[in-house]
Amino acid sequence: MNWTAVGAIYRFEMSRFFRTLLQSFISPVISTSLYFVVFGAAIGSRIDEVEGVSYGAFIVPGLVMLSVITQAISNASFGIYFPKFIGTIYELLSAPINFLEIVAGYVGAAATKALFIGIVILITASLFVPMRIEHPVAMLAFLLLTCLSFALLGFILGIWASNFEQLQLVPLLVVTPLVFLGGSFYSISMLPGIWQKIALANPVVYLISGFRWSFYGLADVPIAVSLLAIAAFTGICLAVIWWIFRTGWRIRD
């Protein structure tokens, strides 16, 4: 592994993040505050508790997952799409580094940015509601795995996209609705029977369920299934990226 190359790509991507640090810091804080005002205050005043947890605290894991997933995808997709757009990706491909080192640099930077946003949101949420984290190691593991897996997905989307509109298409029309319908602001046990079964077809349910379990010991699906789901998703993304670099799909066009 050429760690010098990985470090160079990582530092380049992180420097872009630090140039807009104020925007990157203020935006999630304001968004999280608005979610708590709208959902925590307006809806929380009508729903006291969900499975023994106050509604304001119950939605914290969902808010973190919502922001982490969208940030990981957007940072990774733009990070690899921009070199492809301006043509500098050919310099990267001709350098003496393999695809694992390229992926490690871009995906590592995107996952780090998403992790930073997740921590900022957790700190912001603690100012609004009292929280407890029953399984801190599991919480950190789920957070890191989510950042990594969706940064891999964003990397794939960045290679697939041929314009800036396509870059936003999948996150806006597919990923965000799946997160909202994945139990971010409610437990799927609150749904009618048939809709509970339909909700289980949503892969984001397993991520949010496992992450919420690490906070309050509550889960819509068994924790082992959640871990298996995120591991399988990460493996699929890695396999797709390997195939992309092996065939040159959307890179050598």
Side-chain angles (χ1 to χ4, degrees):
M1 180 71 78
N2 187 345
W3 293 110
T4 302
V6 174
I9 296 172
Y10 181 88
R11 287 192 298 272
F12 177 79
E13 284 298 299
M14 290 305 296
S15 66
R16 178 166 58 84
F17 175 71
F18 286 117
R19 285 195 298 270
T20 60
L21 185 60
L22 186 63
Q23 176 185 348
S24 302
F25 181 81
I26 295 296
S27 178
V29 172
I30 293 176
S31 299
T32 303
S33 301
L34 289 175
Y35 276 119
F36 273 108
V37 170
V38 174
F39 289 94
I43 300 179
S45 62
R46 301 175 182 273
I47 303 176
D48 292 331
E49 292 184 347
V50 178
E51 299 183 15
V53 179
S54 68
Y55 185 73
F58 182 84
I59 66 175
V60 170
L63 284 176
V64 175
M65 284 286 104
L66 174 62
S67 298
V68 162
I69 288 172
T70 54
Q71 289 293 325
I73 291 175
S74 63
N75 281 297
S77 59
F78 183 81
I80 191 61
Y81 173 78
F82 193 69
K84 191 178 72 165
F85 176 72
I86 63 178
T88 56
I89 193 172
Y90 298 110
E91 299 176 6
L92 191 63
L93 294 173
S94 62
I97 55 178
N98 60 39
F99 84 95
L100 283 176
E101 292 154 356
I102 296 173
V103 173
Y106 281 107
V107 170
T112 302
K113 298 172 191 178
L115 180 63
F116 171 78
I117 298 300
I119 293 172
V120 168
I121 292 175
L122 278 175
I123 295 172
T124 304
S126 66
L127 302 176
F128 286 88
V129 293
M131 294 189 307
R132 69 177 191 270
I133 303 177
E134 294 186 0
H135 309 281
V137 175
M139 185 276 289
L140 186 60
F142 267 105
L143 191 59
L144 289 172
L145 284 172
T146 302
C147 293
L148 176 63
S149 59
F150 280 91
L152 290 169
L153 176 62
F155 190 89
I156 295 170
L157 294 177
I159 293 176
W160 164 78
S162 57
N163 52 56
F164 285 100
E165 287 76 15
Q166 288 185 351
L167 203 62
Q168 299 297 324
L169 184 65
V170 173
L172 287 176
L173 297 183
V174 179
V175 176
T176 300
L178 286 178
V179 175
F180 273 100
L181 297 173
S184 299
F185 304 109
Y186 57 89
S187 170
I188 63 172
S189 62
M190 300 168 66
L191 299 174
I194 183 62
W195 288 106
Q196 290 185 29
K197 294 181 174 60
I198 294 174
L200 291 176
N202 182 352
V204 180
V205 166
Y206 301 90
L207 300 179
I208 296 176
S209 173
F211 194 58
R212 184 172 285 129
W213 172 85
S214 69
F215 280 76
Y216 311 118
L218 305 173
D220 292 318
V221 295
I223 186 64
V225 177
S226 296
L227 288 171
L228 181 62
I230 192 170
F233 180 71
T234 304
I236 291 171
C237 289
L238 285 170
V240 171
I241 291 174
W242 173 83
W243 175 81
I244 287 172
F245 278 93
R246 188 175 186 276
T247 61
W249 180 76
R250 293 278 189 169
I251 295 178
R252 299 172 185 168
D253 294 345

